[in-house]
Amino acid sequence: MKANIHPSSVAGTIVAPASKSAMQRACAAALIKGGRTVLHNPGISADDKAALDIITQLGAEVKEEGDTIVINSNGVRARNDEINCGESGLSVRMFTSIAALNHERIRVNGKGSLVNRPLSFFNEVLPQLGVECESNNGHLPLQIKGPLHPKNIEVDGSLSSQFLTGLLFAYSAAGARAVSIHVKNLNSKPYIDLTLKLMKDFRLPVPDNHNYTEFFYKDEVAHARDEKIDYTVEGDWSGGAFLLVAGAVAGDLVVKGLDLLSTQADRAVLGALMQSGANMSITDQQIEIRRSLLKPFHFNATDCPDLFPPLVALASNCKGTSVIEGVHRLEHKESNRALTLKEEFLKMGIGIELQDDLMVIKGGEGIHGTLVSAHHDHRIAMACAVAALNADAPMNIEGADAVNKSYPQFWDHLQQLKARLSLQQ
């Protein structure tokens, strides 16, 4: 699909989409906790649907009831010998360890860019926990056979905190007692905060967090499976970041549904917007943001790498040179985002230099409307769309349907906000 976006002002009130980070974790928690869970404000992205499919294959019953999703579970009891994670990096990194709780062999698969993501973590860690694990040279498909037995281990958290999230869930489900997961070089600590908060919300055993270097499970009794859980999926700061940047560069927007106390890492977008001088009014209920004269900013995105695309769109509208730290976190995404952002924004006349772990963006000289590609990457498609709002001519984005992975309502929401755009199959 191709999106054609004309230079536009955006205005109105919009509710941010549901957080897929919270939604996918809630699916995992509902599976391992057992009993009945009712999810309110459930996500509808491709990654959310992949998580629901995975827990169904691992034994849960999933039903839509009005605006909610009801999950009934007796724990991990796989119905089939394969789970497919679609293109979801979180799903494969989280659910592989959870699937290892099963006693029978399971094949873990995926599609698209997911088959190229490194998963050697499992080859190194799962055998230490009594799980047989075979991979395709550190990539999908994986063959695993449990059950997983919690033990004292040390893991490397430098590639992604999502591997640790899966282990934390699996240890909790397996009744870990008086054991620790030691972690070195952990990235994206706020996402671990989200995992631990969600475990608490689902009344699962929560390990003590010792400065993100050790997660210790006390000698406690197992959780009660018969308690009903009502869980409301919070708004998504990752998708909301594009709306907020759109308001700062081309609009007069009110964005609702974002929790200011959220543990989501991408809430940090507010710091970058404040640095850039964005005109914002923030309350517990909403964020008002208007077109502003923007100045360059310096922002560390090591713990929130998904902010790179919206921040590049923001920096393109800032008069001067902006710097974003954390480039090493971008290689293993839907695309190599550092190279993809550089390539596509260069087509728009925006110079981007990569200097070791820094991305240097020269903005404020105008954005040229042209033909760009999303590279099958949802966040690249959205970044190009936000940049298009202030371009000097229409922007044509090939692969615009990539947004379905995380924010399928994105194009509808832009149109609701009066952006001039059309979609072609």
Side-chain angles (χ1 to χ4, degrees), residues 333-352:
K333 297 292 184 179
E334 284 74 11
S335 66
N336 183 329
R337 283 193 183 142
L339 298 180
T340 301
L341 287 166
K342 180 177 180 179
E343 177 182 348
E344 298 309 313
F345 275 77
L346 179 61
K347 295 176 184 177
M348 304 177 202
I350 303 299
I352 295 180

Side-chain angles (χ1 to χ4, degrees), residues 348-370:
M348 304 177 202
I350 303 299
I352 295 180
E353 297 179 5
L354 303 176
Q355 301 175 1
D356 296 324
D357 204 34
L358 304 179
M359 179 177 288
V360 181
I361 307 105
K362 298 177 181 177
E365 299 299 328
I367 298 171
H368 177 56
T370 185

Side-chain angles (χ1 to χ4, degrees), residues 8 32 36 74 80 91 118-119 126 155 182 187 190 199 203 227 258 272 295 347 394 402 411 413 420:
S8 309
I32 65 174
R36 180 180 175 88
N74 288 314
N80 301 303
S91 282
L119 299 172
L126 290 185
V155 301
H182 293 269
N187 279 316
M199 292 172 72
R203 305 185 190 108
E227 295 180 84
L258 296 174
K295 58 186 179 182
K347 295 176 184 177
W411 301 117
H413 281 182
R420 297 167 55 211

Side-chain angles (χ1 to χ4, degrees), residues 29-37 72-75 223-227:
L31 170 70
I32 65 174
K33 180 200 173 296
R36 180 180 175 88
T37 297
N72 288 288
S73 173
N74 288 314
H223 62 275
R225 289 184 176 272
D226 57 353
E227 295 180 84

Side-chain angles (χ1 to χ4, degrees), residues 383-405:
C384 292
V386 172
L389 297 174
N390 252 358
D392 60 7
M395 194 84 70
N396 289 290
I397 305 171
E398 292 184 329
D401 51 343
V403 302
N404 293 333
K405 186 175 191 301

Side-chain angles (χ1 to χ4, degrees), residues 48-105:
D48 297 326
K49 293 176 181 178
L52 288 168
D53 182 65
I54 290 167
I55 66 171
T56 300
Q57 300 311 311
L58 291 176
E61 293 182 357
V62 177
K63 294 181 180 179
E64 292 187 24
E65 294 187 1
D67 294 331
T68 67
I69 290 178
V70 178
I71 301 170
N72 288 288
S73 173
N74 288 314
V76 178
R77 299 182 180 182
R79 291 190 172 93
N80 301 303
D81 60 1
E82 180 170 354
I83 60 173
N84 193 303
C85 299
E87 295 189 69
S88 173
L90 172 56
S91 282
V92 75
R93 292 166 181 151
M94 178 173 65
F95 281 111
T96 296
S97 292
I98 293 170
L101 296 166
N102 199 62
H103 287 244
E104 304 299 325
R105 186 175 298 275

Side-chain angles (χ1 to χ4, degrees), residues 270-292:
L270 293 177
L273 287 165
M274 290 175 182
Q275 274 195 54
S276 70
N279 184 355
M280 288 190 295
S281 174
I282 302 173
T283 69
D284 290 342
Q285 288 75 37
Q286 62 188 38
I287 301 172
E288 296 182 46
I289 187 161
R290 299 177 179 85
R291 184 195 302 267
S292 313

